[in-house]
Amino acid sequence: MAEKITDFDSIAADIFLQKRAGKLSHFAEMIWNFHRDRIDATFEGGWDNAAFPWDRNMHGWWKYPLAFATYSIPSVIMVEEARYAEASICLRKSILLFKDTPIWDEWVKYGHGPDPICCRNIMYKAHLHVMYGLYQLITGSQEFEREYIQLTAIMKNELNENRENEGFEGIVCEDDQYFPVCNSQIVIGMSIHDLIFGTNYYNEYGKRVADFIADRISDPVTKMILYKYHPSHDQAEAYLSGACNTWGLTQLHYTNPADMQTGYENFKRLLVAQQPDGALYLKECVHASDPAMGLEESFGLLYALGLAREYQDPDLWAGFMKYLGKTSGIAYVDGRVRLVEVTNGEEHHANSYILWGALHESWNAVFQHDWSALRARHRAVLS
């Protein structure tokens, strides 16, 4: 039986205090249970499993919710260390699923090449790089280390070539298409690599990418991030996308906190609108008034939950959740957070980002956590 969820202000208060409490809030635990069950079912029964089938019409988008749900796993452990084993196992399964063909085969399908990590395609390989790093950082396991080192080398080589031959810092998603949000994953990934191996890749690569985005692909007045950049013309598209900023302002916050805070305040001023009941929605563009309807922009509302957590803003989090509650029907069903008024494919997609928003404790907190001491306490060997 479904129990409709409406009091998102109280839920937000619990979520923003859960690290201090040392336990997942009720809402966070219920949505974590859904995600863990779904990953288990997919890993054991495939993408078309009976319990939680994924919508194959959306398989070109699967990598994003799977990646962002995975980024919540460090926070699960930081909040409630007793979940170390189940969270680590979920992370391992997620990596194996992320390497499965349906996650990346649109790269081949659309004629970009036979190998999803050899060149370009930072929209896939930067997420994989972060996931490899998180698993080794949290568990100490070297299961994926050879692949991780190979992928790091591929990314470094491409970053060096683009710097030396084309004069930009970063990697394109497709030919001549540089998306700052995808490149923000390089900043996160290189920071994690440094924590594991003691390298200096954040300064050599990650910070340079972040600075390039700040200098060349950001609005100098609002400090918000522009939609994309074309290396062939050395020109960014002067469009302030909600989805781009909810993702980018989250991932780049720790590397440039002052400008990102300015960007965040302008994002709320220019792209967030409030309904009479207090629900908040993301506008399609700065000059629009209606809620975003485009597929990519509608994802921005979901990314914004992690953004609100990164900037410690429970009012923004609760406002967006009120809107999602009205449009998607958020309810507790059999001890799980479910979206009862959307399709299976939409639920899979949205629940991943709600999980990210319910659990994310900020990247700075993740990087400052003593993972070495945690590994020593557990000395877990994961089969």
Side-chain angles (χ1 to χ4, degrees), residues 30-43:
M30 294 304 99
I31 198 164
W32 166 253
N33 288 343
F34 174 90
H35 176 68
R36 184 199 57 222
D37 291 352
R38 160 173 79 138
I39 293 299
D40 287 347
T42 306
F43 190 76

Side-chain angles (χ1 to χ4, degrees), residues 196 217 266 290 296:
I196 298 167
I217 323 177
N266 281 312
D290 294 332
E296 191 168 352

Side-chain angles (χ1 to χ4, degrees), residues 249 260-270 311 313:
L249 291 172
M260 293 297 96
Q261 184 68 42
T262 299
Y264 177 68
E265 298 301 333
N266 281 312
F267 159 80
K268 291 198 295 182
R269 179 175 63 86
L270 295 171
Y311 288 83
D313 192 339

Side-chain angles (χ1 to χ4, degrees), residues 342-360:
V342 300
T343 66
N344 280 340
E346 290 169 336
E347 181 179 34
H348 278 303
H349 204 90
N351 247 309
S352 297
Y353 297 114
I354 298 172
L355 175 77
W356 160 246
L359 289 163
H360 178 56

Side-chain angles (χ1 to χ4, degrees), residues 250-290:
T250 301
Q251 306 300 74
L252 295 171
H253 180 214
Y254 84 97
T255 191
N256 188 1
D259 282 355
M260 293 297 96
Q261 184 68 42
T262 299
Y264 177 68
E265 298 301 333
N266 281 312
F267 159 80
K268 291 198 295 182
R269 179 175 63 86
L270 295 171
L271 284 171
V272 177
Q274 181 170 309
Q275 295 181 324
D277 61 358
L280 300 176
Y281 63 85
L282 196 64
K283 299 192 297 183
E284 189 74 39
C285 63
V286 170
H287 302 294
S289 57
D290 294 332

Side-chain angles (χ1 to χ4, degrees), residues 13 17 29 39 54 68 117 134 152 176 179 181 191 193 197 241 244 300 318 330:
L17 290 174
E29 182 176 9
I39 293 299
W54 294 61
F68 276 90
I117 66 171
L134 286 176
T152 304
D176 204 34
F179 287 88
V181 292
S191 301
H193 192 282
F197 297 108
S241 154
C244 177
I330 301 175

Side-chain angles (χ1 to χ4, degrees), residues 220-242:
V221 176
T222 65
K223 303 301 181 184
M224 293 170 67
I225 299 167
L226 301 177
Y227 184 54
K228 61 182 173 180
Y229 167 83
H230 300 288
S232 65
H233 290 72
D234 187 24
Q235 185 173 356
E237 293 187 13
Y239 171 60
L240 294 175
S241 154

Side-chain angles (χ1 to χ4, degrees), residues 61-333:
W61 296 95
W62 286 356
K63 56 183 168 288
Y64 302 113
L66 182 56
F68 276 90
T70 302
Y71 301 157
S72 71
I73 287 178
S75 295
V76 172
I77 297 168
M78 289 162 60
V79 169
E80 194 170 339
E81 194 173 316
R83 295 182 181 272
Y84 175 84
E86 67 175 282
S88 299
I89 291 168
C90 184
L91 176 50
R92 177 181 180 273
K93 290 179 178 179
S94 298
I95 291 172
L96 293 170
L97 289 172
F98 205 80
K99 297 196 296 177
D100 197 18
T101 306
I103 293 291
W104 52 262
D105 70 344
E106 87 281 358
W107 180 256
V108 178
K109 177 182 176 181
Y110 292 114
H112 297 297
D115 184 345
I117 66 171
C118 68
C119 62
R120 302 185 303 278
N121 199 16
I122 197 62
M123 59 190 171
Y124 170 72
K125 64 190 180 190
H127 288 296
L128 180 60
H129 188 250
V130 172
M131 292 165 74
Y132 279 151
L134 286 176
Y135 185 70
Q136 191 152 344
L137 178 67
I138 291 168
T139 68
S141 170
Q142 296 177 314
E143 177 179 0
F144 301 111
E145 183 172 277
R146 183 175 179 180
E147 298 167 45
Y148 182 29
I149 291 172
Q150 178 193 31
L151 180 56
T152 304
I154 288 170
M155 291 171 61
K156 283 173 52 188
N157 289 339
E158 194 166 0
L159 286 161
N160 288 332
E161 289 173 3
N162 290 339
R163 177 187 301 163
E164 294 166 7
N165 299 331
E166 300 194 51
F168 71 92
E169 299 286 345
I171 298 174
V172 295
C173 284
E174 304 148 14
D175 291 338
D176 204 34
Q177 300 267 45
Y178 179 120
F179 287 88
V181 292
C182 297
N183 278 270
S184 72
Q185 300 303 126
I186 298 173
V187 184
I188 301 293
M190 293 304 181
S191 301
I192 295 169
H193 192 282
D194 288 351
L195 291 174
I196 298 167
F197 297 108
T199 49
N200 192 36
Y201 291 167
Y202 169 73
N203 286 323
E204 293 177 27
Y205 299 101
K207 186 66 165 63
R208 295 180 73 150
V209 169
D211 289 345
F212 184 80
I213 293 171
D215 293 341
R216 307 297 291 278
I217 323 177
S218 296
D219 176 50
V221 176
T222 65
K223 303 301 181 184
M224 293 170 67
I225 299 167
L226 301 177
Y227 184 54
K228 61 182 173 180
Y229 167 83
H230 300 288
S232 65
H233 290 72
D234 187 24
Q235 185 173 356
E237 293 187 13
Y239 171 60
L240 294 175
S241 154
C244 177
N245 278 279
T246 51
W247 176 343
L249 291 172
T250 301
Q251 306 300 74
L252 295 171
H253 180 214
Y254 84 97
T255 191
N256 188 1
D259 282 355
M260 293 297 96
Q261 184 68 42
T262 299
Y264 177 68
E265 298 301 333
N266 281 312
F267 159 80
K268 291 198 295 182
R269 179 175 63 86
L270 295 171
L271 284 171
V272 177
Q274 181 170 309
Q275 295 181 324
D277 61 358
L280 300 176
Y281 63 85
L282 196 64
K283 299 192 297 183
E284 189 74 39
C285 63
V286 170
H287 302 294
S289 57
D290 294 332
M293 297 299 292
L295 180 64
E296 191 168 352
E297 284 306 301
S298 65
F299 293 164
L301 181 70
L302 300 170
Y303 292 133
L305 299 172
L307 176 74
R309 295 286 278 121
E310 177 74 29
Y311 288 83
Q312 293 295 299
D313 192 339
D315 292 336
L316 188 78
W317 193 93
F320 280 134
M321 286 298 295
K322 289 175 186 176
Y323 185 81
L324 285 171
K326 293 196 304 181
T327 58
S328 302
I330 301 175
Y332 294 123
V333 182

